[in-house]
Amino acid sequence: MKLPEIFASPVNIRSFVQGAAIFNAGDDSGEMFVVQSGEVDIIINGTVVETVGPEGFFGEISLIEDSARAADAIAKSDCKLVPVNRHHFLYMVDEMPQFALHVMKGMADRLRNADKRAEA
C-alpha cells in the first residue's frame, strides 16, 4: 500500500530485526503497520496464518475496533514498517476513499483465507 509521503517519512519508519516481536496478542492497539521492506509473520495460537510483505499491512482490525491485538506479529526478516495511528487512519479513510477500499479488500482476503484454512 502506497502511503502519502507524510506518513512514510524516515522519521516515522520503525526497523525490526528478524525474530523481533512487533506486538503480541493481548497488547493494546493504537496503530496499524504498512510493510516498507522485509516480511512479518502473523501468528495465532502458535500458527503462522499469514506472511505480510512489502506494501502489505497488518494490525488494522484492532485499530478499527479499538480492541486488544488478536495475534502476534513477528519480524520474519529484518524489516522496516510505517506505523499508522488512529488519527492518521481516520484522516486517510475520510480524505482518500481508495485507502478505505484497500483496507476492506485486505480484510476480505484474510477472511476468505481463514475460511479455506478452516475447511482443510
Side-chain angles (χ1 to χ4, degrees), residues 7-16 34 36-37 79-83:
F7 299 112
S9 75
V11 174
N12 294 336
I13 295 172
R14 294 192 196 152
S15 297
F16 294 86
V34 177
Q36 186 179 57
S37 66
C79 59
K80 293 185 180 189
L81 308 177
V82 179

Side-chain angles (χ1 to χ4, degrees), residues 67-83:
S67 63
R69 301 288 186 189
D72 301 325
I74 307 295
K76 182 175 183 173
S77 63
D78 291 352
C79 59
K80 293 185 180 189
L81 308 177
V82 179

Side-chain angles (χ1 to χ4, degrees), residues 18-97:
Q18 181 180 0
I22 297 155
F23 56 73
N24 294 299
D27 286 354
D28 288 336
S29 60
E31 56 195 4
M32 63 180 278
F33 295 91
V34 177
V35 179
Q36 186 179 57
S37 66
E39 293 183 314
V40 175
D41 281 337
I42 307 302
I43 302 169
I44 298 176
N45 297 325
T47 301
V48 175
V49 296
E50 182 178 6
T51 298
V52 184
E55 297 189 24
F57 60 90
F58 61 96
E60 75 287 351
I61 293 175
S62 63
L63 232 186
I64 293 168
E65 292 182 331
D66 194 23
S67 63
R69 301 288 186 189
D72 301 325
I74 307 295
K76 182 175 183 173
S77 63
D78 291 352
C79 59
K80 293 185 180 189
L81 308 177
V82 179
V84 177
N85 66 30
R86 187 170 188 76
H87 175 76
H88 291 148
F89 178 82
L90 293 174
Y91 171 83
M92 289 190 294
V93 166
D94 188 46
E95 296 296 322
M96 299 183 312

Side-chain angles (χ1 to χ4, degrees), residues 50 57 60 100-113:
E50 182 178 6
F57 60 90
E60 75 287 351
L101 289 172
H102 186 76
V103 170
M104 286 187 284
K105 182 187 178 325
M107 292 172 65
D109 289 345
R110 287 190 179 124
L111 181 58
R112 196 171 294 110
N113 289 335

